[in-house]
Structure formats: C-alpha cells, structure tokens
Amino acid sequence: MISKTYAPQEIEDKWYSYWIENKYFNSRPNPDKEPYTIVIPPPNVTGVLHMGHMLNNTIQDILIRKARMEGKEACWVPGTDHASIATEAKVVAMLKERGINKRDLSRDEFLEYCWEWTHKYGGIILQQLRKLGASCDWDRTAFTMDPDLYDSVIDVFIDLYKKGDIYRGHRMVNWDPQARTTVSDEEVITKEVNQKLVYIRYNLVGGAEGEGIIIATTRPETIMADAAICVNPNDARYQSLIGKQVIIPLINRAIDVIADEYVEMEFGTGALKVTPAHDTNDYELGKKHNLAIIDLLNEDGTLNEKAQILVGEDRFVARKKIIKLLEESGNLVKSEEYKSNVGHSERTNAVIEPRISEQWFLKMSRLSEPALENVMNDTIQLIPPKFKNTYRHWMENVRDWNISRQLWWGHRIPAFYLQDGTVIVAKTKNEALHIAQHEYQLFALTEEDLTQDADVLDTWFSSWLWPISVFNGIKKPDNEEINYYYPTNDLVTAPEILFFWVARMIIAGYEYKGTYPFKNVYLTGIVRDKQGRKMSKSLGNSPDPIDLIEKYGADGIRTGMLFSSPAGNDLPYDEKLVEQGRNFCNKIWNAFRLVKGWSVDTSLSTPEGSALAVKWFDSKLNQTLAEVQDHFNKFRISDSLNSVYKLIWDDFCAQYLEMIKPGFEQPIDAATFEATLEFFDKLMRLAHPYMPFITEEIWQNIRERQEKESICVADFPTVGPVDTNLLGEFEILFELISAIRNLRNTKNISPKIELPLAVKSEQPQLYKGLEALVRKLANVAEINFVTAQAPGMSFLVRSDEFFINLEGEIDVEAERENLTKELAYTEGFLNSVAKKLSNERFVQNANADVVEKERQKMADAEAKIVTLKEALVRLG
C-alpha cells in the first residue's frame, strides 16, 4: 500500500542501508567493464557539511550514479585531509579547555591528542554525506595520514630531493603569527583595511634642529628594525643627504641614507625606510645594498629584545604606543587615514607577517611545464573554460613552493641533521645513520647523534598525490588498482583551489604517472545568500544542511541546489529552490499514487486517444533523453536536471496522464496501463542520479522485484526513435487546448459544459487525427470542419482559425463592449508601431533585429484587428 504523502524520513535510511548491505557502491577492477573513477576532494578532517559540500558532492554523486547505471565500473573514492593548521587549532582549543598548554607537551604527547580528536570527530562529515545519499565506496575511505598515504608523501619528498627539485634556504616567507607557521602565497588573502599613515622625522646626524628626512609608513612599530633610509639618486630634494646618516627616533640608532632608483620620487615623501626583516621589497633592497637584517618580532607577533622598547607587546598594541611616543618625542609630523591592501592568513585570518626564515622549497619551473601545456591544449578540460586564463596566469608566474610548516600534526619532513649542520634526507633515522656511516664515513655515529627536522610538510604536499596515493600508486606504481582506475575521469571542485590543489595534482600526475590525473575538471560556483554574500558560519547566513535534509528530504535538497547552478557560476541560494525540490518529489509521488490507484480491465480495447498519447510520450521521452545526454557531455548538469524536471512535471504529469486517465471510477485498458508503468520505470531510472531515494522507493513498487534488485544498478535509459512530426502535431494540440481553456476562463464558462468547435484549416487531417484528444482534453461536444466563417467566438492557433459558438453561454452586450475596447486598444498600438517604422532615422540607426521585431508587432496587430472585427460582425 502506497502511503498518502511522501515521507522522505521513512524511506531514506531504509534504502541507504539496503544499498550499503548489498555493496552496490563497492568497486573492484574488472577488465570486462570500462572504469569510471572520481576521487572526492577530501574535506578537512575538522569539517562539517556546509552548503558548498552539498552542491559539490551532489554533482559527484549524479555523475557516479549515472556511470554505474550505464554499466561502467563506477568507483567514487571518499576520504579526508588531515588539515595541519585547522586540526592543530582544534586540538589546542580542546587542550585549553582541559587546562593543558601545548608548550608543556612533548611532540609525541601532542600527537596522541591529535589522533584522539581525529578518531572522535574526524568522520563526522563522511557520515553526513551518507545522509545526502552519496554513493561512495566507503570501504575505500582514505585519510592523508593513513600509513600507505603517509609513506607515499615521504617517498615523494625523498625522490624530488634526490632529483634536485627540493632545497633548503633562507627566504622571505608569509608568517602566520596565530598559527605560528609559514603559509604559501596562495594561502594569503588580500583585504583592504583602514590604517594610519604616519609621517615620521628622522633627524640628521650633526644637523641643525629640525633638519632631516621625513618618511611615511603604516608600520611605525618596525622603525627599530630599520637598516637605512633610501631615496632616488635623481631626487634633487635629497641629493645633499645621500651618504650621510640619520637617527632612528626613540632608540637613537644611526643609519645611512642610501640611493636607489627603486624608490619612486612621487610616492609619499620620496624617502623610504628600509626594514629588510619585515617587508618583501625591503628584503630585496637590503640584499642589494648589503644591509643588516634585524628581526624584532617573535613567532607570535610580539616584539622581542631587538626592538629595545615595548618588548613583549603585541605588534598592533605596539603600533599605537609607538605613535604616542613619537608624538611625545616631537618626531611625529602628522598621521592620516589610509586604505591599503593587507595580506591575511586564509586559515586563521591573522594579518600575515613577512619574515626571513629557513624553509624547505620545491622548484616549480620544470615540474609545472606539462601541467600548463596539457591544460592549455585541452588534454585536460577546465569546465567552464573561462578559468583557463586564470590557470595560465598562475602557472606562467609560478614561484618555488614553500613546503615546510612549523607544526607537529602532519607528515614530518624526512631530513636529519648532524651536529655540524649536515643534512641527510632519508625515510628513517636508521636509514639516515646508514648514509652517514657509509657515504660520509662517520662510523662512530649513533642514532642519538641525528636530529630530525621538527617541521611538517604543507598539507597540499600530501593532497597533491591524492588521485595516485588512494590507489597506492606511489608505493606500488604497477599495481592492479592504479593501472585500472588511473587516470580518473572527472574532478568536481571549487575554483578557489584551482592552483592550491588542481594544478598541483596535474603536476604530480605527469611526474609520477606520466599522464594527467583526470580528464575533466568541473568547477562549481560559490553558494551565496540573497544579498550575494558567500555563505559562512561567521556571517550566520548558512543554513545547516542536515536540518534542511530533515525538513525537505535529501532528494529535495539535491534537486533544489541544482535548479540554478550552472558550472563555474555562483549559486544564489534561496530556500524556495529547496521547496521546489520537495514539491517535485511530491508531484512524482502523487502521480504514482494516481496510476497505481487505477483498476485495469483486460477486456477493454485501447482508446484511439490513449494509443496516440503513448506514441507521443515515447517520442517525447526519447527526445529528452538525447537532450539530457547532450547536457551531460557538456557538463551542463543543472540544465540536464531542468530537462528531466520539465519532462516529468509538464509532459508526463500535466499532459500525458491527463490524456490517458480513465473517467471517474472507470477502469483503464491493460495496454495503456502497461505502457504507463513502463514510462514510470524509465522516468525513475532517468531521474535516479539526481534524486536517488524517491526513485528507488517508486521503482521497487512499480512491479514485483527480485531479491537484491535495485534501481542503483538498473540500466540508465537509452535514446530510442523520435517522431518529430508527431511531436510537432502535439505542440499544435496543446496550443489549441490552452486556447479553448483560456476562452472558458475569460468567459467564466464551466469546464463541465461541452462546447461545439468548428475548425477552418488547410490541413483538416491533422485535427481529425487528434480529434479524440481534443474532445477529451477540451471537453468538446462536436467538431465540424468548415471552409468559411462559422458562428461564434473565433481565435487563431498558428495559421488556423477556430470557432466556438457560445450562444446562450455569454452576455452578448458585455462581450461586444469588451471586443470594442480591445479593438480600440489594438488599433492604437498599431498606430504607435506604424509611426515608429515610418521614422527613417529609427529604421536606419536601430539594430536590424530590433526593426524586425517592430515589423512583426505590426503584422500581429493587423491580424488581430481583422479577427476582432470579424468577431464583432458575428455577434450581430
């Protein structure tokens, strides 16, 4: 018995458990089947499901379910990323609640807490994806810190080091004082902020009072680390001061005035304070002029003893205090409001501090060449292709990758140091000792003489191997799984990580497998609220996806999210879209209840209209299948859903079922009923990738199924023959039915009253063939074919004229008055269009399509006037 209303909560857990129990999502290499592989963009182990995940994973699930139904060996690999910075932040917060400070723990003790947190909370997001219906092979769930994946990362580091691609050096890096680690250039988000631009006088050594140089800076807290004042050698204002010295205010240290054409004379005061330890450009200038590097900041952004004053103060607190001290000392000339772009850490939102640091780097020039070439020549397709320009810009300007991070949670750098600073890169301390003893002839060394690098590798240095490492293709490059599943087919991800992750995976693919890691990269848009803001917890504008699933059902959310999300374009989220998705589920459910509620009489012959309706819908279904396949080929997933939606809602429910449904409490003939069940079966298989739960429930109830049968592994419908002539005839039929119904509405005539219809057409055979359906759908008593005007109201459908005699059904005087008003309006409209077209300047200067539209308006108005005048004549 089918329940009266669709209750997703009752069926979703039931069918998901059924799918898991029967292992429909599991995949193994099968040489007799074509593989279709997707690897999930591994969410942070700290993460919980948000609206972006919902969209991204719904698209992946649609692709994988369709491939599975098409008979491919579909494999969707799930997993999570260890997320060094985010996880350490969570664990530090957990420890703080317990009264424990990270600095009081050993590395191993801290890592135990990290694993504790990961085991307790790390699988939340994957459990939530099950609620969405994600058909991942959960037995393959990977984690970037799993032993094989961990070893793969270490092996790649050692390999690239041996190739000369990894090196260690002092560089200016992006320092996150909150996370106390470096971050890559790509992890720095630039934001416009309001600051104070402070003008400071540096007094000339031995000069008269007030004599010196004025500089402008937004960072007065760094003046104590200044190494020089730099001016342009061509600047007449300062030529006499070049080579002399000035005094740094507050600490009274003398520094040289130097000259370099790098300084722009027109910018600010034309004089630049050079602070090599705290500005990237100053660092380069300092190297050129061999200036001292004075780093006055601690790792946490507080001032150290090199600052001499305000030691221990936070950099931003010190900034305010320095301004006050400068004012008191008489060195503050003025300060003004100033807007500038400041780098922030993507992970912690802390203001990034440029810092000189010894780090590990990966050379990118050689490695990135095939990754650039094979995207630009479309070996790998970016969808939409507009992102190719962004990709090319990044890859043509790629810088060496800072791959070390000052954290404990992650893949520890496999580098070991001897007491004299010699570096040995090896997988284990024992291997490093073996190298030291046999290659360096240091036979007296023991493991105690070796110290491993304390840093871990950038999180992206593990996830760039993801499409290979999940199939153990680094440790065992010739194993059955990597040979079968790699390269994968499609990657669905966000444009924000096109360089972070996608480009780097492509680099790793060519370096370690000699080919691309995936053929297509589908870039989703950002889910935004009605105001256009990105949805986020901090703004409080993002609904909880699990709450939405509870309210609307997973299928409602999946379809709702996709109704307006073309590739690469942002999705303007509105809960009404999810309501539309739920309503779509209800529509399908009610249609199925209607059909299954009919009684069948096997003795009945098939009515002419029903037989024709079956032929029409069969063609319509096949036409839509071709359309859907074309959309999939072009990755227009949203468009494909809209085609399915229109087919089910408009063509099947609103048209087909109306054409074939029996009269009240009347039975239906067996042939039409069987055809309708077959259509329902195909429609559910077509809709299954988008809305897996309701389609499984209905499909199981269409007919009696065998044990362990599932729509998951049923055949995806294939395109059959399309009768375009029949489809065209039915378009005319629907226009005619709509016109008759509109006439009833405007004249307030009940749909139960049968009306006579006269047809004036040069193709009467068309309407004779459709007569049975016209009678049924429009409640027409009789149809007469005429060659001249017939009595009654008239209307046009295409070039054919129709007449309905409403004698006795309408108020003639009121109708005459309405027609007269409409005629007057139309004549006025025609007159305005004619004036526009008689204006030679308009015709000559307007676009041709605009002029053509005006001419079409004129022709339509003229035809309507003729029809209205004839209607008035017939009224008498």
Side-chain angles (χ1 to χ4, degrees):
M1 182 68 182
I2 304 161
S3 64
K4 186 176 179 181
T5 55
Y6 174 56
Q9 294 77 12
E10 294 174 15
I11 70 162
E12 289 176 1
D13 288 342
K14 174 183 74 174
W15 288 120
Y16 202 86
S17 298
Y18 178 77
W19 296 332
I20 295 295
E21 285 164 15
N22 289 287
K23 298 186 178 296
Y24 292 127
F25 307 155
N26 289 37
S27 177
R28 294 292 174 267
N30 184 343
D32 297 327
K33 292 169 77 174
E34 175 190 346
Y36 179 83
T37 317
I38 294 179
V39 292
I40 201 170
N44 285 354
V45 74
T46 58
V48 292
L49 202 63
H50 59 60
M51 299 303 283
H53 291 133
M54 295 277 279
L55 175 63
N56 183 294
N57 286 282
T58 293
I59 292 169
Q60 289 178 79
D61 196 43
I62 288 167
L63 294 171
I64 208 81
R65 284 182 182 273
K66 180 172 180 284
R68 190 179 292 118
M69 295 176 76
E70 289 172 331
K72 297 171 185 173
E73 187 57 44
C75 179
W76 185 11
V77 182
T80 49
D81 188 284
H82 65 284
S84 294
I85 295 176
T87 303
E88 283 218 9
K90 292 280 188 184
V91 174
V92 167
M94 176 187 77
L95 292 172
K96 190 175 181 181
E97 288 178 3
R98 299 181 188 180
I100 302 170
N101 191 314
K102 176 188 174 182
R103 298 187 179 281
D104 296 331
L105 300 173
S106 69
R107 186 187 193 110
D108 288 342
E109 287 170 336
F110 180 74
L111 290 178
E112 280 184 26
Y113 284 115
C114 289
W115 280 110
E116 175 194 323
W117 192 95
T118 298
H119 292 316
K120 186 172 182 179
Y121 301 107
I124 289 176
I125 193 164
L126 298 183
Q127 291 298 324
Q128 291 176 323
L129 285 177
R130 287 171 164 83
K131 297 288 288 181
L132 186 65
S135 60
C136 302
D137 182 349
W138 297 108
D139 290 349
R140 292 181 174 276
T141 301
F143 179 46
T144 49
M145 293 279 280
D146 285 343
D148 283 344
L149 276 75
Y150 191 104
D151 286 349
S152 297
V153 173
I154 302 305
D155 289 348
V156 163
F157 181 98
I158 294 168
D159 175 66
L160 291 172
Y161 179 80
K162 287 178 178 177
K163 289 174 180 174
D165 292 312
I166 286 179
Y167 65 94
R168 193 166 180 250
H170 283 88
R171 293 285 180 85
M172 177 71 76
V173 296
N174 304 303
W175 184 261
D176 180 339
Q178 185 172 326
R180 299 190 189 187
T181 181
T182 59
V183 294
S184 67
D185 292 339
E186 295 75 32
E187 292 169 298
V188 176
I189 306 300
T190 301
K191 298 180 185 179
E192 187 177 72
V193 297
N194 293 315
Q195 300 192 92
K196 292 268 191 223
L197 184 62
V198 182
Y199 291 76
I200 306 170
R201 177 182 287 106
Y202 287 59
N203 293 322
L204 186 66
V205 172
E209 187 177 342
E211 190 179 3
I213 292 179
I214 297 171
I215 62 96
T217 181
T218 57
R219 301 207 58 193
E221 75 278 10
T222 64
I223 63 171
M224 296 83 77
D226 288 351
I229 296 292
C230 190
V231 297
N232 192 299
N234 302 311
D235 194 332
R237 293 173 294 175
Y238 301 117
Q239 282 177 345
S240 63
L241 298 178
I242 295 170
K244 294 185 178 180
Q245 288 191 316
V246 293
I247 299 291
I248 299 174
L250 306 182
I251 62 169
N252 298 321
R253 178 164 57 82
I255 54 175
D256 295 336
V257 178
I258 63 173
D260 197 293
E261 289 189 344
Y262 165 77
V263 179
E264 296 178 28
M265 291 185 282
E266 298 78 20
F267 185 77
T269 65
L272 177 77
K273 71 190 269 309
V274 185
T275 320
H278 296 288
D279 182 90
T280 305
N281 295 321
D282 289 8
Y283 175 65
E284 296 301 325
L285 202 56
K287 282 200 298 183
K288 182 178 177 181
H289 292 274
N290 198 27
L291 300 177
I293 296 174
I294 303 167
D295 184 354
L296 56 67
L297 289 178
N298 294 312
E299 289 185 354
D300 62 356
T302 57
L303 273 60
N304 62 31
E305 68 283 348
K306 290 178 184 175
Q308 300 181 46
I309 58 174
L310 302 177
V311 175
E313 294 278 14
D314 177 78
R315 55 189 168 151
F316 297 118
V317 173
R319 180 178 299 178
K320 291 178 181 178
K321 290 186 176 181
I322 289 279
I323 293 173
K324 195 160 191 264
L325 290 171
L326 288 168
E327 189 176 8
E328 292 171 356
S329 70
N331 293 97
L332 180 68
V333 178
K334 65 176 179 176
S335 67
E336 56 192 27
E337 295 300 320
Y338 182 73
K339 283 186 177 179
S340 62
N341 292 320
V342 176
H344 290 69
S345 169
E346 184 194 41
R347 299 293 184 191
T348 65
N349 200 39
V351 172
I352 289 296
E353 193 63 53
R355 192 175 193 220
I356 306 294
S357 179
E358 190 172 32
Q359 302 288 335
W360 289 91
F361 295 88
L362 174 62
K363 296 176 185 175
M364 296 295 282
S365 55
R366 174 189 73 82
L367 290 168
S368 62
E369 286 174 5
L372 174 60
E373 177 188 349
N374 287 287
V375 168
M376 298 321 294
N377 67 19
D378 289 332
T379 299
I380 300 166
Q381 299 255 4
L382 299 187
I383 299 144
K386 68 179 182 181
F387 287 106
K388 283 175 70 174
N389 288 334
T390 306
Y391 183 89
R392 180 175 61 194
H393 176 74
W394 279 336
M395 297 301 280
E396 287 178 346
N397 297 281
V398 69
R399 288 164 40 170
D400 288 357
W401 178 9
N402 171 13
I403 55 173
S404 48
R405 297 291 179 269
Q406 290 63 56
L407 301 164
W408 282 351
W409 173 246
H411 304 81
R412 191 170 182 181
I413 291 173
F416 299 86
Y417 301 96
L418 304 183
Q419 289 177 356
D420 65 0
T422 301
V423 182
I424 298 173
V425 171
K427 195 161 188 177
T428 64
K429 185 177 276 192
N430 186 262
E431 285 183 25
L433 179 63
H434 185 269
I435 292 169
Q437 290 174 337
H438 293 82
E439 292 185 19
Y440 292 88
Q441 308 298 309
L442 301 171
F443 296 107
L445 285 184
T446 65
E447 286 191 10
E448 283 68 37
D449 297 311
L450 296 170
T451 304
Q452 186 172 356
D453 198 304
D455 291 353
V456 298
L457 289 159
D458 179 11
T459 297
W460 299 107
F461 195 84
S462 56
S463 55
W464 78 320
L465 305 175
W466 188 250
I468 306 172
S469 60
V470 293
F471 300 115
N472 209 15
I474 298 292
K475 290 186 71 180
K476 296 179 180 178
D478 196 31
N479 75 73
E480 180 189 23
E481 295 231 322
I482 194 72
N483 291 340
Y484 182 74
Y485 291 116
Y486 189 96
T488 69
N489 295 74
D490 302 321
L491 178 75
V492 182
T493 190
E496 306 98 272
I497 55 174
L498 183 56
F499 185 78
F500 280 143
W501 189 47
V502 178
R504 288 167 176 168
M505 282 191 289
I506 296 171
I507 290 169
Y510 280 101
E511 182 68 11
Y512 288 101
K513 295 304 297 177
T515 188
Y516 51 84
F518 27 72
K519 185 65 184 162
N520 303 296
V521 181
Y522 181 103
L523 297 156
T524 62
I526 295 170
V527 183
R528 298 189 180 275
D529 66 13
K530 291 178 184 177
Q531 298 174 43
R533 300 175 303 173
K534 182 178 178 179
M535 286 194 160
S536 68
K537 281 186 179 177
S538 58
L539 287 175
N541 63 345
S542 181
D544 184 330
I546 299 303
D547 289 345
L548 289 176
I549 290 173
E550 292 296 323
K551 185 175 179 181
Y552 296 104
D555 292 332
I557 301 243
R558 289 167 64 111
T559 51
M561 292 283 286
L562 272 177
F563 278 136
S564 62
S565 58
N569 291 330
D570 292 349
L571 182 144
Y573 175 78
D574 188 330
E575 199 155 322
K576 288 179 181 175
L577 290 170
V578 181
E579 288 177 13
Q580 184 184 352
R582 179 192 59 191
N583 294 344
F584 187 32
C585 292
N586 290 338
K587 186 77 171 178
I588 295 170
W589 187 261
N590 291 335
F592 185 61
R593 284 186 65 246
L594 173 72
V595 172
K596 291 297 275 187
W598 291 336
S599 59
V600 181
D601 188 338
T602 54
S603 67
L604 287 177
S605 58
T606 303
E608 180 187 348
S610 295
L612 196 57
V614 168
K615 286 182 182 177
W616 166 76
F617 189 74
D618 188 55
S619 274
K620 193 67 184 175
L621 174 58
N622 287 321
Q623 182 189 55
T624 304
L625 282 169
E627 200 176 279
V628 166
Q629 195 59 55
D630 181 59
H631 286 318
F632 268 103
N633 292 341
K634 296 169 181 170
F635 281 87
R636 295 174 179 162
I637 311 300
S638 181
D639 291 342
S640 73
L641 171 61
N642 282 312
S643 293
V644 173
Y645 178 85
K646 185 180 180 303
L647 177 71
I648 294 176
W649 191 293
D650 296 341
D651 300 320
F652 185 71
C653 295
Q655 303 287 17
Y656 174 77
L657 292 181
E658 287 298 310
M659 287 188 268
I660 60 104
K661 76 177 180 183
F664 182 64
E665 294 189 346
Q666 297 295 309
I668 190 170
D669 66 284
T672 304
F673 185 71
E674 280 303 310
T676 304
L677 289 184
E678 183 57 32
F679 286 147
F680 234 120
D681 191 296
K682 282 186 178 179
L683 290 173
M684 292 304 95
R685 286 184 280 131
L686 172 60
H688 177 72
Y690 310 94
M691 39 205 321
F693 294 107
I694 190 171
T695 52
E696 180 78 86
E697 178 74 10
I698 289 175
W699 188 83
Q700 292 284 352
N701 282 283
I702 290 172
R703 307 183 189 283
E704 196 169 315
R705 304 293 180 186
Q706 298 296 316
E707 189 180 352
K708 294 194 174 183
E709 267 195 288
S710 172
I711 196 172
C712 276
V713 288
D715 292 338
F716 193 76
T718 53
V719 180
V722 177
D723 186 337
T724 52
N725 288 332
L726 183 63
L727 292 178
E729 290 173 1
F730 267 69
E731 286 302 310
I732 295 172
L733 168 69
F734 298 142
E735 286 182 39
L736 173 57
I737 301 306
S738 178
I740 295 173
R741 289 174 176 171
N742 286 340
L743 187 67
R744 286 182 183 274
N745 289 336
T746 56
K747 309 306 177 192
N748 293 316
I749 299 171
S750 166
K752 294 179 181 179
I753 296 174
E754 291 185 329
L755 298 174
L757 178 69
V759 182
K760 181 188 172 191
S761 171
E762 292 180 3
Q763 47 179 354
Q765 289 306 119
L766 164 65
Y767 296 101
K768 286 177 181 176
L770 298 170
E771 187 170 342
L773 290 171
V774 174
R775 286 176 179 274
K776 182 172 185 176
L777 297 174
N779 195 15
V780 170
E782 58 184 50
I783 300 178
N784 295 311
F785 292 88
V786 297
T787 56
Q789 301 293 321
M793 300 292 299
S794 72
F795 56 88
L796 292 173
V797 173
R798 309 281 173 99
S799 58
D800 298 327
E801 193 168 7
F802 297 84
F803 308 89
I804 294 181
N805 192 341
L806 299 176
E807 190 176 345
E809 301 293 344
I810 63 168
D811 183 332
V812 175
E813 284 305 318
E815 184 61 25
R816 182 181 289 109
E817 185 180 342
N818 289 335
L819 288 172
T820 302
K821 284 180 181 176
E822 192 172 356
L823 177 61
Y825 171 81
T826 309
E827 286 174 334
F829 177 76
L830 175 62
N831 186 44
S832 68
V833 175
K835 279 183 181 176
K836 191 181 285 187
L837 288 171
S838 66
N839 184 332
E840 288 185 14
R841 288 182 63 188
F842 168 75
V843 175
Q844 288 174 0
N845 296 327
N847 291 334
D849 59 332
V850 173
V851 175
E852 183 54 39
K853 282 179 183 175
E854 291 302 313
R855 286 181 176 143
Q856 186 59 52
K857 286 179 187 177
M858 188 173 184
D860 291 344
E862 288 170 340
K864 189 172 183 181
I865 286 168
V866 170
T867 303
L868 289 168
K869 286 180 176 178
E870 288 175 352
L872 281 166
V873 170
R874 284 193 296 276
L875 281 176

